Amino acid sequence: MVKIVANGNEIQILKSDTDYISLTDIAKYSNPDDPRIVVSNWMSNYSTIDFLSVWESINNPNFNRMEFHTVRSKTGRLVMTPKRWIEDLNGIGITSKPGRYGGTYAHSDIAFEFASWISPEFKLYIIQDYQRLKQEESYKNQIEWQTNRYISKLNYSIHTDAIKEHLITPELTPNQIRYTYANEADMLNTALYGMTAKEFKRRYPNKEGNLRDNSTIEQLLIMNNLQAINAEMNKQNVPMAVRLRELNRIAREQQEILINSNQKALQDLKKLQ
């Protein structure tokens, strides 16, 4: 849970694989005493549910379109609530959260639409601080990636030192020495990415930078580990074929662990929503 401040008004945001912004907090700008009625009034509007249905149709394959058409075709006063939208129409663009920080939350696309209905000026303040938040998150992710890339380079020096000490012999020519270093790098890339640096360039000619420049943080973390493990195996004179097989096993195992850890983190986050 994080928050933004729009012109002095705090607005909570649920963080998971996407952002859900508190409609309840936005509604307080219009009615601090009973924000729930503001959300209900907005949703009990045909132009609103038309917008919501388009959003759900684009983003939600399980949206109950038949029920929506039933609701849309009824005559008389429309009464729509977050609970009805979620339970009867199987909507995912809006969610409700009980307990502390409870209330109605919506995907940022929908939240901005709601804010525009409340006040175009207030919407601009929300967008402004939301963009600031996303820039901070992007910067943080960039720093984490750069840190792992830097650690990867440091580990690579340990890796190359092990090659120099255990694989480079006096009788090797300069070309053979270069080939030995390149061979080891190709082995590590193949173990983790399933391709060499040359194969990466051939497959993705339009991508900037090399294979590791296009890696995720998780991949860089695994590469750090593989370089250190390979250095130790070189010291033990383990044949390359054996090292490749073992490093690939380790890479797959660690990747699965990281995926499961990320999924658990997301599940734990959802429990707080």
Side-chain angles (χ1 to χ4, degrees), residues 149 197 200-201 204-214:
R149 188 71 174 100
F200 170 78
K201 281 297 185 183
Y204 308 101
N206 297 323
K207 285 188 178 290
E208 295 183 6
N210 58 33
L211 198 157
R212 298 188 192 186
D213 290 330
N214 287 274

Side-chain angles (χ1 to χ4, degrees), residues 22 34 48 66 73 82 87 92-93 115 120 162 167 203 214 228 243 269:
S22 173
D34 194 359
T48 297
M66 291 187 64
S73 61
E87 294 181 357
I92 62 171
L167 297 180
R203 289 189 200 181
N214 287 274
R243 284 187 283 123
L269 199 58

Side-chain angles (χ1 to χ4, degrees), residues 122-272:
F122 189 47
K123 173 187 176 180
L124 291 176
Y125 282 116
I126 294 172
I127 291 175
Q128 185 179 57
D129 208 51
Y130 182 71
Q131 288 176 336
R132 175 199 58 76
L133 175 68
K134 302 310 289 183
Q135 287 172 352
E136 287 181 356
E137 290 175 348
S138 176
Y139 179 72
K140 179 183 176 183
N141 289 336
Q142 185 180 14
I143 290 298
E144 289 177 353
W145 185 92
Q146 288 176 344
T147 300
N148 276 281
R149 188 71 174 100
Y150 179 67
I151 293 172
S152 180
K153 289 180 178 179
L154 291 179
N155 274 353
Y156 188 66
S157 65
I158 297 173
H159 175 248
T160 53
D161 283 349
I163 295 172
K164 182 178 180 180
E165 184 176 349
H166 299 280
L167 297 180
I168 304 301
T169 57
E171 63 270 15
L172 291 181
T173 66
N175 281 339
Q176 289 172 326
I177 292 173
R178 282 193 295 270
Y179 177 78
T180 301
Y181 282 113
N183 233 17
E184 289 291 311
D186 283 343
M187 183 199 61
L188 285 172
N189 288 334
T190 301
L192 176 57
Y193 307 103
M195 69 182 84
T196 65
K198 283 186 178 180
E199 288 170 339
F200 170 78
K201 281 297 185 183
R202 189 165 59 247
R203 289 189 200 181
Y204 308 101
N206 297 323
K207 285 188 178 290
E208 295 183 6
N210 58 33
L211 198 157
R212 298 188 192 186
D213 290 330
N214 287 274
S215 297
T216 63
I217 292 175
E218 291 79 10
Q219 286 172 328
L220 289 176
L221 178 61
I222 295 171
M223 179 57 75
N224 293 340
N225 297 336
L226 295 187
Q227 287 176 159
I229 293 168
N230 190 49
E232 288 301 312
M233 287 197 290
N234 265 323
K235 293 176 183 178
Q236 298 168 18
N237 297 315
V238 179
M240 177 177 281
V242 177
R243 284 187 283 123
L244 175 59
R245 186 166 59 249
E246 181 64 9
L247 290 170
N248 178 250
R249 182 193 65 78
I250 293 170
R252 286 185 283 108
E253 183 179 88
Q254 292 190 359
Q255 194 163 25
E256 184 177 351
I257 290 171
L258 289 174
I259 290 172
N260 290 338
S261 296
N262 286 341
Q263 289 176 344
K264 184 179 183 302
L266 287 176
Q267 289 172 356
D268 291 342
L269 199 58
K270 288 177 181 178
K271 290 178 183 178
L272 299 175

